[in-house]
Amino acid sequence: LELKPDRESAWYNKGLVLDNLERYPEAIAAYDKALELKPDRVDAWYNKGNVLYDLERYPEALAAYDKALEFQPNDDNLWYNKACCYALLGNVDLALENLRVAINLNLECIESAKNDSDFEIIRANESFRGLIADNNQQV
């Protein structure tokens, strides 16, 4: 990076390393630099969202996932992660809406949602149970 500070892939890779070391604020800064150089780098938006999620900064994570979805709208992982954030924020309607999209893109999201602790707060919700049960019959 000292020799080529404008190399977005180097900043992205630095973000990955810092993320793995759980040096989250530094990882975010590295992802931000990569995104400054290449704003459409979906995996940088995705991983930045994951770091923000790990820091329990859910509204910011949602913004990062939304930005990634601008470039990759059919990514079930992004929709699923948004559903998790909304569930953790207690927003049942948006959690279900995003989970529904994730399931429509990939039925394997049903199995993930069944046991994901992020959905604990909404697990007893009738609409959540219905969404899982209805789609479970299609698998």
Side-chain angles (χ1 to χ4, degrees):
L1 287 172
E2 288 180 23
L3 297 175
K4 294 193 178 209
D6 60 342
R7 200 160 174 195
E8 60 83 21
S9 61
W11 285 105
Y12 173 76
N13 289 330
K14 182 177 181 177
L16 288 176
V17 170
L18 292 166
D19 186 358
N20 286 330
L21 293 171
E22 297 181 5
R23 292 169 50 184
Y24 298 133
E26 294 168 272
I28 292 169
Y31 289 136
D32 283 343
K33 184 63 179 175
L35 290 164
E36 178 184 312
L37 297 166
K38 188 169 179 5
D40 62 346
R41 177 131 192 190
V42 174
D43 51 355
W45 285 113
Y46 179 78
N47 288 323
K48 179 181 176 181
N50 289 342
V51 171
L52 292 163
Y53 167 90
D54 289 339
L55 292 170
E56 298 181 7
R57 292 165 49 184
Y58 305 123
E60 292 171 85
L62 286 164
Y65 295 142
D66 281 337
K67 194 66 178 171
L69 283 166
E70 287 180 22
F71 305 106
Q72 200 163 305
N74 293 322
D75 187 319
D76 59 285
N77 290 314
L78 289 164
W79 291 103
Y80 185 89
N81 288 359
K82 284 184 61 178
C84 290
C85 288
Y86 281 122
L88 290 165
L89 289 169
N91 190 327
V92 177
D93 292 337
L94 286 175
L96 293 172
E97 178 182 318
N98 284 274
L99 183 56
R100 188 172 289 111
V101 174
I103 289 170
N104 287 339
L105 291 169
N106 183 354
L107 289 174
E108 290 178 18
C109 292
I110 297 166
E111 289 304 313
S112 298
K114 282 183 185 178
N115 300 309
D116 192 326
S117 62
D118 290 349
F119 295 114
E120 199 59 43
I121 194 170
I122 67 170
R123 195 168 311 288
N125 178 284
E126 186 176 319
S127 295
F128 177 82
R129 288 182 291 148
L131 177 63
I132 298 302
D134 289 346
N135 283 290
N136 202 30
Q137 296 169 3
Q138 296 177 23
V139 176

